[in-house]
Amino acid sequence: MTGLLELLGLGASAELLSLSGWGGNLLRGLVNSLQIAFGAFGMGLVIGLFGAYGKLYGGKVTRDLLAIYTTVIRAVPELVLILILYYVGSDIINKISAAMGGGRVEINGVAAGIWVLGVVQGAYATEVLRGAIKAVPTGQIEAAKSYGMPAFMIMRRVTIPAMMSFAVPGLANLWLIATKDTALLAVVGFNELTLETRQAASSTRAYFTFFLAAGALYLMVTLCSGVVFARIEKWARRGQPSLKGGTA
Amino acid sequence: MTSVKALMQPHRIVMMLIFAALVVWCALSLRWDWIPQYAPLALEGLWTTIWILAVSTFLGFLLAVPLGLAQAIGPWYLSIPARTFCTIIRGTPLLLQIWLLYYGLGSLFPQFPWIRGSELWPYLRQAWPYAVLALTLSYAGYEGEVMRGAFSGVAKGQLEAAKSFGMPRFTMFRRIWLPQAVRNVLPTLGGETILQLKATPLVATITVVDIYAVSSRVRSDTFIVYEPLLLLALVYLVIAGLIALAFRRFEQG
């Protein structure tokens, strides 16, 4: 293995990327990135579910407020939103802490990243889930209502399972956006993969090695997610006739 | 477009009043005294944002057409590289791509004396060529995928009809295939262009002074945090609105 790498002239790169060298930092960054992406995606789903219900069944004021939320978030660059939400979040926490008699609070990078990206993801998830819920035949929801099911049970037993197959492709896209958006947190100084890479690259001057390695890591996450989401979609579509024809 | 009547519902009037009050409060109680000093720089930054957006979408689209075509009908030795390119671009963060090009190429080029001696060197020493290159490649990667769908979506009968008229292949492409593909894809292109607009502030991280960089400079010079950011968000909202409006015109026209 080592001989082969030497032969290809990659010995120096392999040494730089080894786990005891900078490779460990890169992997730590990747773990941070994935943590933030998971958290933000989950938070986005929760916001999106409530947002979609609000947009579909909410009162006039709720609907208008949600329309403003989704429009503004989707029209302003993520980088700007990240800065605004970051400062707002840390200001609020510090105000609360001051009111309770505490000092300045050091904010956990992962938590801040999840909060910031979660709010952004929520806007996109609202639109995805709204479309998916609208695609569920109304007859099914009406039937559930006529059985006297409470609203939450309808959501859990009818709407969510029935909308899954419509929502999964959009959600897969959102997950990919979430993983890539974590890179933006580098600008605010979180130690996720991109920033770790840049630090490693600028201290060793091996820019190509590290940026290509990080690119490969991101690509691996993307490709694995593609496989996982294909499985999930297949599961969500179980029992539905395939659109392509052939086996259902 | 929402009509005036739709806006004149009681709850919307109340919301607009609250919004107006909020704007007035912002104007009166927040600090805006830095604006006159930074206005010239901000205009320059705005111009940089807009031209980088325009150039990279235009070049990116030109690159996306062959990428889409290669994936839709190309032989395997063209379609596989095209697909790989699109997957890599879409699978990695743009920030990483920008930094790879800027820091990577930027540290590679000075090692070659013939590049340093060439007439391009004064440009290659600046940051904007890398910014434009990265944004162009990114747009091409996303659009190549979109154009693939668009090219395969054009009805076969149309192409067969053109062929039976004895049209040469290039004329057929120019007159029938491309126009129809572009027309089908215009709504998507509008959305993608807004996404591209939202990607432009990333160039500020490699020292290109766009509108975002100007707001960061205001923040670091004066320690005013929210005002420049709010104004910046407003600027992007307006540009995104204008792009959406322009594409709606295109679609109807």
Side-chain angles (χ1 to χ4, degrees), chain B residues 54-70 85 135-137 139-141 143-144 147 151 173 178 182 189:
Chain B
V55 169
S56 66
T57 32
F58 179 69
L59 293 179
F61 185 74
L62 288 187
L63 209 56
V65 171
L67 276 172
L69 214 53
F85 174 77
L135 285 175
T136 302
L137 289 181
Y139 193 75
E143 244 38 59
M147 289 312 289
F151 279 127
F173 175 73
L178 185 64
V182 170
L189 276 187

Side-chain angles (χ1 to χ4, degrees), chain A:
Chain A
M1 180 76 185
T2 333
L4 186 69
L5 285 172
E6 293 291 350
L7 201 68
L8 291 168
L10 291 171
S13 304
E15 193 165 321
L16 280 174
L17 286 172
S18 70
L19 286 179
S20 50
W22 290 96
N25 288 32
L26 253 59
L27 283 186
R28 252 197 310 282
L30 178 67
V31 170
N32 272 347
S33 283
L34 285 179
Q35 259 179 354
I36 294 173
F38 263 119
F41 185 64
M43 183 171 157
L45 274 187
V46 173
I47 296 179
L49 201 57
F50 283 107
Y53 264 85
K55 264 198 164 180
L56 287 172
Y57 307 112
K60 285 178 183 170
V61 180
T62 323
R63 257 185 294 177
D64 280 1
L65 287 178
L66 283 169
I68 294 173
Y69 165 63
T70 52
T71 314
V72 169
I73 295 275
R74 294 191 305 162
V76 176
E78 281 81 358
L79 198 55
V80 178
L81 290 173
I82 285 172
L83 282 179
I84 294 179
L85 289 170
Y86 179 70
Y87 286 118
V88 168
S90 51
D91 259 12
I92 289 176
I93 288 183
N94 276 318
K95 287 245 166 72
I96 292 174
S97 145
M100 300 204 315
R104 274 193 78 83
V105 182
E106 201 53 45
I107 291 161
N108 176 293
V110 173
I114 289 175
W115 142 253
V116 165
L117 287 184
V119 171
V120 177
Q121 285 267 312
Y124 289 89
T126 300
E127 292 297 319
V128 169
L129 294 178
R130 187 181 67 108
I133 292 176
K134 260 177 87 175
V136 174
T138 26
Q140 298 190 3
I141 296 169
E142 278 166 6
K145 254 183 215 161
S146 70
Y147 270 107
M149 268 192 197
F152 186 71
M153 198 193 259
I154 296 181
M155 181 166 138
R156 191 164 53 86
R157 284 214 189 144
V158 181
T159 318
I160 290 183
M163 78 168 185
M164 273 300 266
S165 62
F166 302 110
V168 168
L171 293 180
N173 232 344
L174 275 187
W175 161 251
L176 293 183
I177 293 177
T179 54
K180 285 184 285 174
D181 273 0
T182 55
L184 299 180
L185 295 171
V187 176
V188 207
F190 293 146
N191 277 333
E192 46 65 62
L193 181 51
T194 304
L195 190 63
E196 289 281 4
T197 309
R198 187 179 161 183
Q199 283 165 354
S202 53
S203 42
T204 56
R205 304 255 137 213
Y207 291 103
F208 273 112
T209 312
F210 283 109
F211 281 122
L212 289 179
L217 285 178
Y218 277 115
L219 206 58
M220 217 170 61
V221 172
T222 309
L223 295 178
C224 292
S225 313
V227 174
V228 171
F229 271 102
R231 277 269 174 87
I232 296 179
E233 193 176 341
K234 209 172 161 193
W235 169 80
R237 279 193 193 285
R238 70 203 182 283
Q240 289 181 11
S242 161
L243 292 175
K244 280 181 186 163
T247 50

Side-chain angles (χ1 to χ4, degrees), chain B residues 16 19-20 26 40 59 67-68 76 79 101 206 212 226 230:
Chain B
M16 278 192 286
F19 184 70
C26 281
L59 293 179
L67 276 172
W76 62 268
S79 70
L101 288 177
I206 56 168
Y212 171 84
Y226 290 114
L230 286 177

Side-chain angles (χ1 to χ4, degrees), chain B residues 170-182:
Chain B
F170 186 71
T171 317
M172 186 173 90
F173 175 73
R174 189 167 52 90
R175 288 216 192 135
I176 316 274
W177 211 3
L178 185 64
Q180 292 203 32
V182 170

